[in-house]
Amino acid sequence: MQRQILQYSDQELQQLLRENPKKGFDRVFECYWKRLFSYAYQIYADDTICEDIVQEVFVSLWEKLENTTIINLEGYLFRAVKYKVFTHLRDLKFTQDHQDILDEIAMPSRAETNLDYNDFETLVHREIDRLPPKCRTVFMLSRFEEVSNAEIAEKLNISIRTVEKHISDALKHLKSNLPVRELSLIITLMFQ
């Protein structure tokens, strides 16, 4: 069965999609699912996210099947996966909406009155200094020098995913090592 499925050309699959959409879709899925997943995984190494992305591409294909003429099925599917992966990566960025929400959060009065800014800054920097060297460097570049994740990755010769992981680890460390009442301050200051 697997050998027969792989013998379909793109033209045969497209014809099958037009003549018998359900059967054609099943064949396209069987022919392309593993390849599309592998392609997505090369860009963004997360099984669950890549599975979701490939699934979304197939759902989109099914929904557009009736109204869309696809000239190059393979090219269409791979471009759709690439676009979905990059959209996912773009959505991981901290947006202006996030900043607006943080700006609207009222600062706890206890933190305002009991915590001198210089003491707070010293506390934060002490915790940042406790981070592993590479993690600290990535976090400082990202949050204090406002360097993009892509630029950090290029500058330090690491992947964007590694940059994201270092930033996430740093934020987790700060969250778990700073007193709860100061967390609203750190969140506001780190993302301005």
Side-chain angles (χ1 to χ4, degrees):
M1 178 74 175
Q2 185 68 18
R3 175 172 258 180
Q4 290 174 335
I5 291 169
L6 295 177
Q7 291 177 352
Y8 283 99
S9 71
D10 269 7
Q11 290 78 20
E12 292 169 327
L13 287 171
Q14 288 175 291
Q15 184 175 350
L16 190 56
L17 281 169
R18 284 189 297 275
E19 294 170 0
N20 185 343
K22 170 74 173 102
K23 185 177 180 182
F25 182 81
D26 290 344
R27 293 294 176 261
V28 169
F29 186 87
E30 292 165 353
C31 286
Y32 282 101
W33 191 92
K34 285 183 183 177
R35 290 176 57 203
L36 293 173
F37 175 81
S38 295
Y39 178 66
Y41 194 83
Q42 288 174 357
I43 301 170
Y44 189 74
D46 183 308
D47 288 346
T48 305
I49 299 296
C50 291
E51 286 175 9
D52 288 347
I53 286 170
V54 173
Q55 193 68 24
E56 286 176 26
V57 167
F58 278 111
V59 167
S60 177
L61 174 66
W62 178 254
E63 290 171 346
K64 294 177 181 179
L65 202 53
E66 220 173 86
N67 303 322
T68 304
T69 303
I70 300 170
I71 296 169
N72 177 352
L73 181 63
E74 181 178 39
Y76 172 85
L77 292 171
F78 278 90
R79 276 192 309 279
V81 167
K82 182 178 181 179
Y83 173 77
K84 289 273 189 194
V85 171
F86 288 134
T87 299
H88 174 77
L89 289 170
R90 182 197 67 216
D91 292 345
L92 291 175
K93 291 281 189 193
F94 193 77
T95 65
Q96 185 59 44
D97 291 338
H98 293 118
Q99 183 62 48
D100 293 342
I101 290 168
L102 287 174
D103 289 343
E104 290 176 15
I105 296 173
M107 194 170 303
S109 60
R110 180 188 280 170
E112 274 183 312
T113 57
N114 294 340
L115 187 62
D116 179 43
Y117 179 77
N118 291 332
D119 292 339
F120 170 71
E121 189 175 32
T122 301
L123 180 66
V124 170
H125 282 284
R126 186 178 65 221
E127 288 305 323
I128 291 171
D129 288 341
R130 291 183 180 161
L131 293 169
K134 185 76 92 172
C135 183
R136 180 177 53 244
T137 301
V138 168
F139 187 75
M140 295 294 285
L141 286 169
S142 173
R143 295 305 191 258
F144 292 101
E145 296 180 31
E146 298 180 13
V147 179
S148 74
N149 290 2
E151 291 170 325
I152 295 170
E154 186 177 320
K155 183 175 185 173
L156 300 178
N157 198 25
I158 57 177
S159 72
I160 292 177
R161 180 75 177 127
T162 302
V163 170
E164 293 166 357
K165 176 80 169 111
H166 282 308
I167 293 169
S168 175
D169 289 348
L171 291 172
K172 284 177 189 174
H173 172 81
L174 292 174
K175 184 177 178 181
S176 64
N177 290 292
L178 289 174
V180 174
R181 68 176 189 245
E182 283 89 19
L183 285 179
S184 64
L185 281 173
I186 184 89
I187 290 169
T188 302
L189 293 172
M190 291 294 111
F191 293 107
Q192 285 186 346

